[in-house]
Amino acid sequence: MMADGGAVETGTEGWALCPVTPGFIAHIGPFWEGRPARGGGDGGWVRAFVADERHLAGTGQIHTSVLSSFAELVCLRAISDEGVPEGEAVLLNLTLNHLGSGPRGTLVQGEARLIRRNWSQLVTEVRIHDGDRPLVAGTALWSLAGA
């Protein structure tokens, strides 16, 4: 992973650029994704970004709106991982608990999973962390377009 022109050690191998639909979210990327090996983990996808000056609030910590936007992206990618094209899912509700933040240079990681699916709606669960500390936890409710 790269940040500010230098290499950032992620502690794992296998990170690649995460595809992102053009629009607002592209302004806070680039994002990375991989399946890092973790003891006892499920081996699911992890999305990540390295916090830089663009992501910080006046306090020098990552702004909650950046973490919220990242949480939405992580949930959307989890839906895509389950075979639902991103253009078919419309966000209805995003409920987040902000549990912490971090300074410039923080490797922010996000994991989400689809926890419920019916003919017209999906529910995802998301967890954002810095590797050691939780930053955000929440759920998202999605509607399937055309359903």
Side-chain angles (χ1 to χ4, degrees), residues 24-124:
F24 172 76
I25 195 67
H27 293 289
I28 63 172
F31 302 102
W32 304 89
E33 63 185 0
R35 289 184 152 187
R38 292 185 304 266
D42 62 8
W45 285 99
V46 176
R47 275 65 191 211
F49 73 96
V50 177
D52 63 34
E53 293 300 322
R54 300 170 300 141
H55 304 120
L56 305 182
T59 61
Q61 297 290 302
I62 302 167
H63 199 285
T64 57
S65 64
V66 172
L67 295 172
S68 297
S69 296
F70 181 59
E72 181 181 345
L73 169 74
V74 172
C75 287
L76 185 60
R77 295 296 298 151
I79 291 169
S80 179
D81 294 342
E82 295 291 328
V84 177
E86 288 184 16
E88 291 186 16
V90 177
L91 182 64
L92 298 178
N93 186 47
L94 181 62
T95 303
L96 300 174
N97 292 306
H98 291 269
L99 307 170
S101 191
R104 180 179 183 266
T106 300
L107 176 62
V108 179
Q109 301 174 60
E111 301 170 71
R113 64 188 183 103
L114 184 63
I115 59 173
R116 189 173 355 140
R117 180 180 190 165
N118 64 29
W119 65 276
S120 66
Q121 292 183 332
L122 308 168
V123 178
T124 53

Side-chain angles (χ1 to χ4, degrees), residues 120-139:
S120 66
Q121 292 183 332
L122 308 168
V123 178
T124 53
E125 180 178 73
V126 63
R127 187 175 75 89
I128 308 295
H129 56 89
D130 68 3
D132 296 322
R133 296 176 310 119
L135 304 177
V136 175
T139 58

